[in-house]
Amino acid sequence: MFRYTRKIYRKLHRFFLRRRLKNKDFTILAPTCIAGVMYHELGQRFLSPTINLWMYDKDFLKFVHNLKEYLSYELEFVHGIDKTPTAYLKDILVHFNHYHSDEEAREKWEERKKRVNYDNLYIIMADQPDGGVITKEDVESLRDVPCKNKMVFTIKEYPHLDYVMKLPKDPDKDCVNMYMFDKSKILARYRWEREWDFVSWLNK
């Protein structure tokens, strides 16, 4: 019963999210899977190479600060680091954790990097359990990155930055747990999704 109710709720929820969305053809860059989740919820084409992969936060910061330069480099796949495809993009390590082979990862990366809309660009990052600690200077540095909008999830307060949202701390680590589920068995939504109106964020 709960599973059926949840399925109906999610279907209705996606319907209303998509009706509210006015902005289209946007690129979301993120060092985790959140961009892919958002594209899927909104029924939009993947206009971003950072889908189904993850980067360390420090690497992601280098990536967005020099986006066109890094997208001009070729992926150099390495083995023995992870069980899933892993590649260097110059000096940045990219973990393709939802891909089965180097060839698949390369194909999707090359295909989607050509779709990046630099005039409709959005950036998301967070304190992540395995992403490395981001400092106040890291968060503030995003002010210099040209884009339509940005969001940083953190357990810390940054009242002087309008693109930072404080989320609950991971019970076991000193960072945000972005993928903590809502406790409601009916809603079954990620914590960030429950507390953040990302459609309004994209419509700005």
Side-chain angles (χ1 to χ4, degrees), residues 7-9 14 22 28-29 31 44 56 63 72 77 82 90 100 108 110 113 119 130-131 154 158 171 180-181 187:
K7 185 176 181 180
I8 295 298
Y9 172 81
R14 289 192 187 103
K22 305 303 180 185
I28 304 174
L29 300 175
Q44 296 296 303
Y56 290 107
F63 179 69
S72 71
F77 284 87
D82 208 340
K90 193 184 177 183
H100 299 98
K108 292 300 181 183
E110 292 295 326
K113 81 175 188 181
D119 296 322
D130 300 315
T154 177
Y158 292 92
M180 183 183 294
F181 280 104
L187 297 180

Side-chain angles (χ1 to χ4, degrees), residues 53 57 67 72 81 100 133 145 199:
L53 55 81
D57 289 328
L67 181 60
S72 71
I81 294 178
H100 299 98
V133 178
V145 178
V199 174

Side-chain angles (χ1 to χ4, degrees), residues 13-198:
H13 177 63
R14 289 192 187 103
F15 173 77
F16 286 111
L17 285 177
R18 294 174 185 184
R19 282 199 64 178
R20 288 178 55 217
L21 183 68
K22 305 303 180 185
N23 187 13
K24 303 292 174 69
D25 299 324
F26 50 81
T27 290
I28 304 174
L29 300 175
T32 66
C33 298
I34 186 172
V37 173
M38 290 171 64
Y39 278 115
H40 178 73
E41 290 291 281
L42 297 171
Q44 296 296 303
R45 190 182 187 208
F46 293 155
L47 304 185
S48 169
T50 63
I51 302 294
N52 294 332
L53 55 81
W54 69 271
M55 304 179 193
Y56 290 107
D57 289 328
K58 296 289 188 181
D59 282 349
F60 180 71
L61 282 166
K62 288 194 289 186
F63 179 69
V64 297
H65 274 282
N66 301 281
L67 181 60
K68 290 184 179 180
E69 176 187 347
Y70 274 104
L71 289 180
S72 71
Y73 296 123
E74 296 293 324
L75 291 169
E76 298 291 339
F77 284 87
V78 292
H79 301 102
I81 294 178
D82 208 340
K83 293 181 180 179
T84 52
T86 307
Y88 276 103
L89 187 66
K90 193 184 177 183
D91 55 345
I92 287 176
L93 194 60
V94 185
H95 298 260
F96 294 91
N97 53 313
H98 290 287
Y99 296 96
H100 299 98
S101 67
D102 296 354
E103 291 74 20
E104 181 189 18
R106 186 189 302 277
E107 178 184 353
K108 292 300 181 183
W109 175 271
E110 292 295 326
E111 175 183 296
R112 291 167 182 163
K113 81 175 188 181
K114 295 173 184 176
R115 302 176 185 166
V116 172
N117 186 346
Y118 293 98
D119 296 322
N120 203 9
L121 183 65
Y122 294 77
I123 295 170
I124 306 172
M125 66 179 303
D127 285 319
Q128 284 292 294
D130 300 315
V133 178
I134 54 175
T135 65
K136 177 183 176 182
E137 290 72 25
D138 291 334
V139 177
E140 290 178 337
S141 75
L142 285 174
R143 287 185 296 197
D144 301 324
V145 178
C147 63
K148 289 286 288 292
N149 218 336
K150 61 199 73 167
M151 176 57 67
V152 179
F153 297 110
T154 177
I155 60 172
K156 302 170 186 175
E157 297 280 2
Y158 292 92
H160 61 299
L161 298 174
D162 61 2
Y163 56 83
V164 175
M165 176 179 286
K166 184 177 179 181
L167 287 184
K169 178 182 175 297
D170 187 292
D172 303 315
K173 298 181 179 180
D174 193 25
C175 60
V176 166
N177 187 336
M178 286 179 63
Y179 295 100
M180 183 183 294
F181 280 104
D182 188 312
K183 293 182 179 179
S184 167
K185 293 182 180 179
I186 295 176
L187 297 180
R189 298 169 66 191
Y190 293 127
R191 180 65 60 86
W192 61 265
E193 190 181 0
R194 180 164 65 90
E195 300 190 14
W196 180 40
D197 184 357
F198 63 90

